[in-house]
């Protein structure tokens, strides 16, 4: 077995210190990295990093390594990938996602989870005949998007973040809210250089928000997100007066107009998408779904008899939208695939899917019932350290975004397209077809009609004559 190259070893040691890995575990992490480099040299695994880690973990399992050792090895490899990604993209400030951590929410253990079982017999076969390879991951991805919940050198701030997470969960806020609020709190901690939380006052908030606006030149949306995160931190966690900050310089809010594609452009993108990413894009354009709404659909949300799809959006608000009849056969075929996958999972002894909040305690058998299965399940299983169980998560949103990025590149469009663009197209095309704003507001799940009115700027004016006073008619 070859030793770790000196340049890699030096960078890896620095990464271990940066991530606050316990010193007594450094030798084990270096050992796993050495094993992984040897494994990659011997077996030439696929280019996909997630596949490399999965196969490496499977190899360790066959070598009778314990589950704790497998998880530690996966974490070591993910740190190596984070180090490699930083070297390739030195200007990027985001790091790669590490292996699932027991301290993170179950929902954070997503399709990019580094530890997985041998699921060769449980692979979800798409109903279509073509099976595309997984999309190539672009540099700069949030492979460690939950690093804000990891321990730091300040135990007082770690306790604050734990209390923050508890307050957010108590209010049933979304995972993204937890991630962003915790991340901004960590940035605030870094700005204050670990100043004790009990000594904070409103002046520190004013100084930090001014620093963001004047020195960092952040956008208005970032500044508002930081403001809301610190407001929540002070009011509900620190129990301190937040103060009035009207004199703080604010970033100028942009007059944003959504990008909208024509039907030929949408068809050109869909043509280059494979299963299941094409199905997600069709649901987004055909039903006006956000990406998280599309990938978190469950079997029970589809009512083909009534032609209705039940969508659970932001803040657990529920709405119904018509099911596009053009893709109804594909949707039914996907449900048949889920049924087959579910039967195989039960036969293998797996407990099936993750459930929200305390739903499993209320319905103990729900996780094994077909109606609660994800409509778009991930292929691999996720290990839950607390219960020592393997469960299935839904398709990860970043995989959809990566596949869409490649499809847009192949379609050679001259517009910037994201997954949310399909939702913009849904609203704009309905408006062009003569639907009123109130109907579109209900279908999109907007709480305020002013949010929906932005789509009036996306269509050309149909006024035939110049505006005149009624007295002049």
């Amino acid at each position: 077995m070859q030793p770790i190259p000196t340049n890699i070893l030096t960078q890896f040691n620095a990464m271990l210190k940066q991530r606050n890995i316990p010193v007594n575990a450094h030798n084990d992490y270096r050992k796993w990295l050495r094993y992984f480099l040897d494994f990659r040299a011997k077996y030439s695994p696929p280019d996909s990093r997630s596949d490399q880690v999965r196969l490496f973990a499977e190899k360790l399992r066959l070598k009778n390594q314990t589950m704790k050792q497998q998880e530690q090895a996966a974490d070591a490899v993910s740190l190596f990938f984070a180090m490699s990604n930083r070297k390739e993209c030195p200007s990027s400030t985001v790091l790669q996602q590490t292996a699932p951590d027991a301290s993170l929410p179950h929902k954070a253990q997503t399709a990019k989870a580094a530890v997985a079982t041998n699921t060769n017999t449980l692979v979800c076969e798409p109903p279509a005949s073509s099976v595309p390879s997984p999309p190539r991951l672009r540099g700069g991805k949030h492979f460690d998007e939950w690093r804000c919940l990891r321990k730091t050198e300040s135990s007082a701030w770690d306790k604050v973040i734990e209390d923050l997470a508890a307050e957010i969960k108590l209010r049933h806020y979304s995972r993204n809210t937890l991630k962003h609020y915790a991340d901004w709190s960590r940035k605030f901690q870094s700005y204050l250089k670990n100043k004790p939380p009990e000594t904070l006052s409103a002046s520190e908030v004013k100084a930090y928000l001014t620093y963001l606006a004047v020195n960092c030149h952040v956008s208005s949306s970032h500044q508002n997100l930081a403001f809301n995160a610190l407001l929540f931190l002070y009011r509900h966690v620190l129990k301190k007066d937040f103060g009035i900050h009207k004199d703080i310089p604010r970033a100028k809010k942009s007059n944003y107009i959504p990008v909208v594609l024509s039907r030929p452009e949408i068809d050109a993108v869909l043509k280059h998408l494979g299963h299941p990413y094409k199905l997600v894009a069709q649901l987004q354009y055909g039903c006006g779904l956000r990406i998280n709404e599309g990938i978190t659909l469950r079997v029970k949300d589809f009512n083909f008899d009534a032609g209705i799809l039940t969508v659970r959006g932001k803040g657990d608000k529920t709405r119904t939208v018509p099911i596009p009849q053009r893709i109804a056969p594909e949707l039914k075929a996907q449900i048949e695939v889920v049924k087959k996958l579910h039967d195989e999972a039960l036969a293998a002894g797996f407990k099936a899917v993750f459930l929200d909040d305390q739903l499993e305690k209320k319905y103990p058998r729900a996780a094994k019932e077909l109606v609660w299965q994800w409509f778009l399940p991930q292929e691999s299983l996720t290990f839950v350290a607390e219960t020592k169980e393997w469960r299935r998560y839904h398709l990860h949103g970043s995989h959809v975004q990566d596949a869409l990025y490649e499809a847009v590149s192949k379609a050679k469009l001259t517009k910037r397209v994201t997954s949310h663009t399909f939702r913009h197209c849904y609203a704009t095309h309905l408006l062009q077809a003569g639907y009123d704003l109130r109907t579109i507001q209900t279908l999109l799940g907007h709480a305020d009609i002013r949010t929906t009115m932005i789509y009036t700027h996306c269509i050309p004016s149909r006024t035939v004559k110049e505006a005149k006073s009624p007295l002049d008619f």
Side-chain angles (χ1 to χ4, degrees), residues 15-67:
M15 180 66 73
L16 292 176
K17 294 180 181 178
Q18 179 185 348
R19 295 296 181 85
N20 297 313
I21 302 299
V23 178
N24 57 1
H26 283 196
N27 287 335
D28 291 332
Y29 272 70
R30 285 189 285 264
K31 176 187 70 175
W32 297 126
L33 175 60
R34 186 181 179 188
Y35 286 175
F36 175 72
L37 296 177
D38 183 69
F39 166 82
R40 199 162 62 169
K42 285 183 178 179
Y43 299 100
S44 300
D47 293 335
S48 172
R49 291 178 172 179
S50 59
D51 287 340
Q52 290 182 24
V53 180
R54 177 178 60 80
L55 294 173
F56 180 55
E58 177 63 19
K59 187 68 174 179
L60 294 178
R61 188 183 69 83
L62 295 177
K63 293 288 187 180
N64 297 322
Q65 301 290 343
T66 65
M67 185 55 62

Side-chain angles (χ1 to χ4, degrees), residues 349-409:
F350 297 119
K351 201 169 182 178
V353 298
F354 288 106
L355 294 178
D356 299 330
D357 300 326
Q358 299 298 312
L359 190 61
E360 188 169 359
K361 292 184 178 180
K362 185 176 182 180
Y363 304 111
R365 292 178 292 183
K368 293 186 177 182
E369 294 177 359
L370 174 63
V371 294
W372 289 99
Q373 304 307 303
W374 301 114
F375 176 68
L376 296 167
Q378 70 174 23
E379 293 185 0
S380 60
L381 297 173
T382 299
F383 180 72
V384 184
E386 292 88 344
T387 59
K388 308 298 182 183
E389 295 174 338
W390 292 94
R391 294 207 177 191
R392 192 176 302 281
Y393 199 64
H394 57 68
L395 181 68
H396 198 273
S398 63
H399 290 175
V400 180
Q401 294 164 347
D402 286 324
L404 179 62
Y405 176 84
E406 292 191 354
V408 172
S409 299

Side-chain angles (χ1 to χ4, degrees), residues 6 29 33 63 129 177 255 308 334 337 344 397:
T6 305
Y29 272 70
L33 175 60
K63 293 288 187 180
S129 58
T177 301
N255 186 19
I308 294 296
Q334 176 62 20
V337 172
E344 293 175 346

Side-chain angles (χ1 to χ4, degrees), residues 23-279:
V23 178
N24 57 1
H26 283 196
N27 287 335
D28 291 332
Y29 272 70
R30 285 189 285 264
K31 176 187 70 175
W32 297 126
L33 175 60
R34 186 181 179 188
Y35 286 175
F36 175 72
L37 296 177
D38 183 69
F39 166 82
R40 199 162 62 169
K42 285 183 178 179
Y43 299 100
S44 300
D47 293 335
S48 172
R49 291 178 172 179
S50 59
D51 287 340
Q52 290 182 24
V53 180
R54 177 178 60 80
L55 294 173
F56 180 55
E58 177 63 19
K59 187 68 174 179
L60 294 178
R61 188 183 69 83
L62 295 177
K63 293 288 187 180
N64 297 322
Q65 301 290 343
T66 65
M67 185 55 62
K68 183 177 181 180
Q69 290 174 317
Q70 294 179 44
E71 292 178 358
Q72 188 183 59
D75 198 25
V77 174
S78 64
L79 292 180
F80 168 68
F81 285 151
M83 179 188 72
S84 303
N85 188 67
R86 174 179 295 182
K87 184 177 180 180
E88 294 169 5
C89 306
S91 61
S92 177
T93 59
V94 292
L95 301 176
Q96 292 183 330
Q97 178 180 349
T98 61
D101 188 282
S103 63
L104 305 187
H106 288 174
K107 292 184 180 181
Q109 301 174 11
T110 59
K112 290 186 179 181
V115 184
T117 60
N118 183 3
T119 56
N120 294 335
T121 60
L122 298 177
V123 174
C124 174
E125 293 295 337
S129 58
S130 59
V131 183
S133 58
R136 173 179 53 82
L137 298 180
R138 307 190 305 279
K141 281 294 179 183
H142 290 268
F143 286 99
D144 192 12
E145 58 185 353
W146 291 96
R147 63 189 180 278
C148 51
L149 299 185
R150 294 185 180 275
K151 300 296 183 182
T152 63
E153 62 274 10
S154 174
S155 58
W157 274 98
D158 292 343
K159 180 63 169 60
V160 167
I161 298 300
E162 289 178 5
D163 294 342
L164 175 72
E167 290 288 341
I168 289 177
K169 292 176 183 178
L170 180 65
R171 290 165 173 77
H172 298 280
Y173 289 172
S174 70
R175 290 176 58 239
N176 283 335
T177 301
L178 169 59
K179 180 172 64 177
H180 291 309
Y181 280 19
D183 194 41
W184 277 111
S185 298
R186 286 299 192 190
K187 292 177 181 178
F188 187 48
Q189 171 192 352
S190 177
Y191 172 79
L192 298 175
K193 299 180 179 178
N194 294 331
K195 182 177 180 179
E198 61 273 9
T199 64
L200 298 184
S201 64
S203 59
E204 281 85 359
V205 177
K206 181 177 180 180
Y208 182 58
L209 293 177
T210 303
Y211 166 76
L212 291 179
V214 177
N215 298 83
C216 299
H217 306 288
V218 298
S219 65
S220 59
S221 59
H222 273 69
Q223 193 174 10
N224 289 333
L225 183 58
F227 181 88
N228 292 333
L230 296 181
L231 176 63
F232 187 92
L233 175 70
Y234 267 66
R235 282 186 178 176
H236 302 294
V237 181
L238 300 179
K239 311 295 183 183
K240 291 179 177 288
D241 178 37
F242 188 69
I244 301 175
H245 304 291
K246 293 183 178 180
D247 57 337
I248 295 178
R250 304 300 296 269
K252 184 179 179 181
K253 187 173 183 179
S254 62
N255 186 19
Y256 172 72
I257 297 179
V259 175
V260 177
L261 305 179
S262 64
R263 274 304 299 270
E265 289 174 327
I266 292 175
D267 293 337
V269 174
L270 294 177
K271 182 175 66 174
H272 295 288
L273 283 172
H275 183 85
Y277 313 114
K278 181 178 180 180
L279 198 56

